[in-house]
Amino acid sequence: MKFEEFKYERPDLETIKTRTNEQLALIATNQSLEVELAAINKVFEIEDDISTKETLVSIRNSVNTTDKFYEEEQNFFNEIAPHLQQLQTTFLKKLLDSSHRKALEKEFGTLLFEKAELAQKTFSPEIIEELQQENKLSTEYSKLLAGAKIEFQGGTYNLSQMRPFMQDKNRETRHKAQLAVSSFFEENEAQLDRIYDDMVKLRHQMAKKLGYENFVQLGYDRFGRTDYDFKDVKKYRDQIFESVVPLVEELTKRKAKRLGISEPKSYDLALSFLSGNPTPKGDSKWQVNNAKEMYHEMSKETDEFFNFMLDHNLLELDAKPGKAGGGYCTYIPEYKAPFIFANFTGTSGDVDVLTHEAGHAFQVYSSRDHIPEYRWPTMEAAEIHSMSMEFLAWPWIHKFFKEDTDKYKFNHLAGAISFLPYGVLVDEFQHGIYENPDLSKTERKALWRKIEKKYLPFKDYGDDAFMDKGTYWYRQGHIFGAPFYYIDYTLAQVCAFQFWIKSQEDHQKAFDQYLALCKLGGSKSFVSLIESANLQNPFKDGVVKEIITPIKAYLDKVDDTKL
Ligand SMILES: [Zn+2]
């Protein structure tokens, strides 16, 4: 069956409630273990049923945003979401209260119960109104940015359309493009400050209502982080500061030399090579064919997976009118089908979809037989699968980049390293914000600029006074919509680097370890997952330095002025 034939029908909230409550009545009510287990599995089935419908709606709505039917259905799911969350919380509470808890832990593993405990801490019907308010503010932020109309060199562009100009080979074009983008943010400064201030206050209020000191721990708990805390993260950021920042300063100097610039400014950082950034040498069809060959040669598991994606039309890649922006990977439980959504642009980002997003898809495909709660791991672990696939694809990457292959590899590693300080900057900023929710709007900007200078000491905004006062974070959607999320990308990157190192030594062995990790899905927490995969824990002192050493050695060997 092809994706187009996957069937959608609007569910009825009352029916869902009745069906679920019938099963909930059999849990933690002194029934036999067998009855309880059957009821729990029934609840999982109901969850999969609703999640299938919800996912079909969100996919079809993003593939064609002008389709009124799926827009209506999307609104319907937005409305019932808090009610579904409440049902879910009740179900998890029942699991905690069961007299068979020990036996259930044996059946499902203890993580489900740790997650259940977090769910009780982070949700209460008392905060439903705040949660709805928080969603509204997020939507307002997204709409404000999506609606950007920037006049530039005789044309009108949105923010993502401005990106090519900001990477233009002509320095003056880059400079002017940065100033044009900055003025968009300057025009909307009051709005953005107000949205963010409302969000911070709202989140602090929810934390207080739920019995937390401030939003920090609530933010961690909302992501289901069960085995590390803000102290571990602080020490990890320190490692990045000590070991990675000096390397990125060096890489920035090398880039300036490559570009023939003596004093690089912020608008020079997005361009990597004067000869242009590496690009794939064919259209989307050609790239998909190459990916098919690559996954066929990589392993029998990846071959089966990628053919499944192709046979069921689960790759939606080409940009077209009415399609939403961006890219994602999701999963449709009843069809056991991952789905990849993207907008190909002819840049190296296209290949990332076929490696990074396919890495996510391969992981969920490999863990499709887990219970719903374990099909995806927490986000910092989920990004390991995707970022590692980008590296495991290296032996085939010449298929896509041809003469640009060396350029791509250098840029891939150097770019990934250079991202780390920025990633922890975003995290440290948010800790400062939520530990001190009463900072004024000006103090928040000063805080950003201060931390930015610590982690990105080479970032010189030149004559862009608006960015220089500490406003770059306005464009970082995660800071608004998903507080404390960003560190996940950096943690996963440090783990993915380890797969790069392993694959340089023995690709097959690295792949086998990767496959085992994919199969675990989310059945373990972050630190347990990386321990199971024989990866070093980035929170341990000295680990970051150890991991970046061979990467630095590789980059040092490349004569990047010749790329
Ligand atoms: Zn990802």
Side-chain angles (χ1 to χ4, degrees):
M1 195 189 275
K2 304 232 178 265
F3 172 75
E4 293 73 14
E5 300 156 84
F6 292 4
K7 196 165 165 273
Y8 171 74
E9 216 176 333
R10 184 192 281 204
D12 172 58
L13 181 61
E14 288 316 309
T15 315
I16 297 171
K17 280 187 181 167
T18 317
R19 279 174 68 201
T20 310
N21 285 327
E22 270 167 24
Q23 303 305 322
L24 294 186
L26 301 171
I27 309 170
T29 48
N30 289 321
Q31 303 282 341
S32 70
L33 177 61
E34 288 66 36
V35 170
E36 220 169 67
L37 274 175
I40 292 169
N41 283 316
K42 198 85 202 149
V43 175
F44 289 148
E45 271 172 39
I46 300 170
E47 274 179 26
D48 275 348
D49 174 28
I50 301 161
S51 148
T52 296
K53 292 176 169 125
E54 191 177 1
T55 309
L56 283 174
V57 164
S58 102
I59 293 173
R60 288 176 180 158
N61 182 43
S62 64
V63 170
N64 182 4
T65 55
T66 62
D67 184 324
K68 288 280 165 248
F69 176 78
Y70 283 108
E71 189 183 330
E72 276 284 301
E73 296 310 292
Q74 186 64 60
N75 291 337
F76 165 75
F77 276 103
N78 290 349
E79 262 164 50
I80 68 166
H83 300 281
L84 296 178
Q85 195 181 352
Q86 203 170 341
L87 268 183
Q88 166 81 354
T89 313
T90 316
F91 166 56
L92 294 172
K93 176 88 173 66
K94 287 264 181 177
L95 291 184
L96 293 173
D97 291 344
S98 165
S99 57
H100 302 296
R101 175 149 170 192
K102 277 273 158 295
L104 294 179
E105 283 183 358
K106 235 180 130 191
E107 174 77 20
F108 299 111
T110 52
L111 183 62
L112 179 62
F113 296 84
E114 288 166 38
K115 288 174 110 177
E117 262 153 24
L118 282 187
Q120 305 308 311
K121 278 170 72 184
T122 56
F123 180 79
S124 142
E126 260 179 74
I127 61 159
I128 287 189
E129 211 170 291
E130 280 95 341
L131 287 172
Q132 286 167 334
Q133 200 61 33
E134 191 186 16
N135 277 337
K136 266 196 203 138
L137 287 165
S138 273
T139 311
E140 195 186 352
Y141 168 81
S142 307
K143 279 201 174 146
L144 181 63
L145 261 64
K149 287 194 176 67
I150 298 169
E151 304 289 333
F152 189 70
Q153 293 184 342
T156 308
Y157 305 96
N158 65 26
L159 283 168
S160 42
Q161 289 168 327
M162 283 304 290
R163 218 166 289 148
F165 297 115
M166 297 174 84
Q167 300 175 5
D168 198 276
K169 287 179 224 170
N170 182 308
R171 195 174 192 208
E172 214 23 53
T173 305
R174 295 199 297 275
H175 183 190
K176 292 226 173 83
Q178 174 175 315
L179 291 175
V181 169
S182 290
S183 17
F184 164 76
F185 284 107
E186 191 165 9
E187 280 154 29
N188 291 287
E189 182 177 17
Q191 283 247 56
L192 287 159
D193 277 340
R194 193 258 313 150
I195 293 173
Y196 193 58
D197 190 56
D198 286 353
M199 283 177 158
V200 172
K201 302 252 152 80
L202 198 60
R203 286 171 182 148
H204 186 71
Q205 187 181 319
M206 280 193 272
K208 283 284 179 196
K209 272 196 183 178
L210 292 167
Y212 291 87
E213 185 196 341
N214 57 41
F215 180 72
V216 177
Q217 190 59 45
L218 174 57
Y220 277 54
D221 288 348
R222 293 210 298 195
F223 285 117
R225 296 171 182 170
T226 51
D227 54 7
Y228 61 94
D229 63 14
F230 68 94
K231 286 181 242 135
D232 298 309
V233 172
K234 157 93 176 66
K235 281 191 288 178
Y236 165 75
R237 289 198 307 262
D238 290 345
Q239 288 193 68
I240 300 288
F241 177 68
E242 282 153 24
S243 307
V244 182
V245 171
L247 175 55
V248 176
E249 277 195 274
E250 209 183 296
L251 287 170
T252 309
K253 280 192 194 129
R254 281 175 76 177
K255 183 190 280 186
K257 201 174 152 207
R258 273 199 314 270
L259 301 179
I261 295 165
S262 58
E263 279 173 47
K265 298 280 185 256
S266 51
Y267 48 82
D268 296 317
L269 301 176
L271 179 69
S272 294
F273 304 95
L274 268 188
S275 53
N277 288 350
T279 50
K281 306 300 172 204
D283 62 7
S284 67
K285 231 178 156 177
W286 177 87
Q287 291 186 56
V288 168
N289 258 329
N290 282 332
K292 184 176 153 69
E293 270 176 44
M294 170 174 82
Y295 287 120
H296 173 69
E297 289 168 25
M298 194 180 284
S299 73
K300 83 174 194 316
E301 289 84 0
T302 48
D303 186 42
E304 182 202 307
F305 149 73
F306 204 71
N307 282 321
F308 181 90
M309 299 297 286
L310 293 176
D311 293 345
H312 298 82
N313 272 354
L314 299 165
L315 299 165
E316 166 60 54
L317 305 178
D318 291 318
K320 54 189 176 201
K323 194 168 159 179
Y328 61 76
C329 167
T330 184
Y331 181 71
I332 313 158
E334 277 180 7
Y335 298 91
K336 293 185 183 273
F339 187 90
I340 292 176
F341 175 95
N343 283 280
F344 270 30
T345 53
T347 65
S348 66
D350 297 356
V351 179
D352 296 342
V353 172
L354 295 171
T355 56
H356 181 106
E357 297 303 337
H360 283 305
F362 180 62
Q363 177 263 303
V364 72
Y365 184 78
S366 306
S367 38
R368 61 194 183 279
D369 293 326
H370 282 291
I371 60 170
E373 270 74 6
Y374 288 169
R375 261 177 229 136
W376 298 99
T378 41
M379 299 312 291
E380 73 294 68
E383 290 300 326
I384 301 177
H385 305 101
S386 51
M387 291 175 167
S388 301
M389 186 60 102
E390 295 175 29
F391 289 132
L392 291 167
W394 267 34
W396 293 272
I397 213 70
H398 59 273
K399 282 180 187 288
F400 301 91
F401 289 102
K402 306 252 181 207
E403 67 274 16
D404 280 354
T405 300
D406 290 340
K407 208 189 234 186
Y408 170 81
K409 287 183 173 176
F410 180 86
N411 207 35
H412 187 191
L413 271 187
I417 281 277
S418 303
F419 168 72
L420 297 176
Y422 177 71
V424 301
L425 148 66
V426 169
D427 185 65
E428 190 160 316
F429 173 67
Q430 298 186 86
H431 278 87
I433 293 295
Y434 291 103
E435 280 160 20
N436 308 284
D438 293 324
L439 288 186
S440 72
K441 290 157 189 168
T442 318
E443 284 167 330
R444 283 182 188 143
K445 288 166 202 160
L447 176 69
W448 171 269
R449 193 65 187 113
K450 188 179 127 207
I451 308 174
E452 192 177 38
K453 282 181 175 160
K454 173 181 167 188
Y455 288 106
L456 309 173
F458 44 81
K459 199 163 187 189
D460 174 358
Y461 286 109
D463 61 354
D464 190 344
F466 186 67
M467 282 301 128
D468 197 43
K469 80 175 188 185
T471 51
Y472 187 87
W473 56 277
Y474 281 170
R475 70 193 67 187
Q476 193 60 61
H478 304 71
I479 292 179
F480 289 79
F484 292 112
Y485 177 16
Y486 217 59
I487 196 74
D488 298 44
Y489 292 111
T490 78
L491 290 167
Q493 189 65 70
V494 170
C495 294
F497 281 147
Q498 301 182 60
F499 276 110
W500 179 81
I501 298 168
K502 285 170 191 286
S503 69
Q504 296 290 104
E505 289 158 6
D506 182 343
H507 191 273
Q508 188 57 48
K509 198 172 153 202
F511 180 81
D512 291 344
Q513 285 183 7
Y514 172 78
L515 178 63
L517 180 67
C518 286
K519 285 182 177 165
L520 285 174
S523 62
K524 290 173 189 263
S525 56
F526 174 61
V527 176
S528 316
L529 278 175
I530 56 179
E531 278 166 2
S532 316
N534 280 317
L535 297 173
Q536 297 208 69
N537 180 350
F539 295 126
K540 282 213 179 107
D541 212 27
V543 163
V544 170
K545 186 169 185 202
E546 199 185 317
I547 289 164
I548 63 156
T549 304
I551 294 169
K552 181 178 166 10
Y554 177 95
L555 292 171
D556 283 348
K557 266 196 282 177
V558 180
D559 181 358
D560 52 312
T561 56
K562 299 243 162 65
L563 292 175

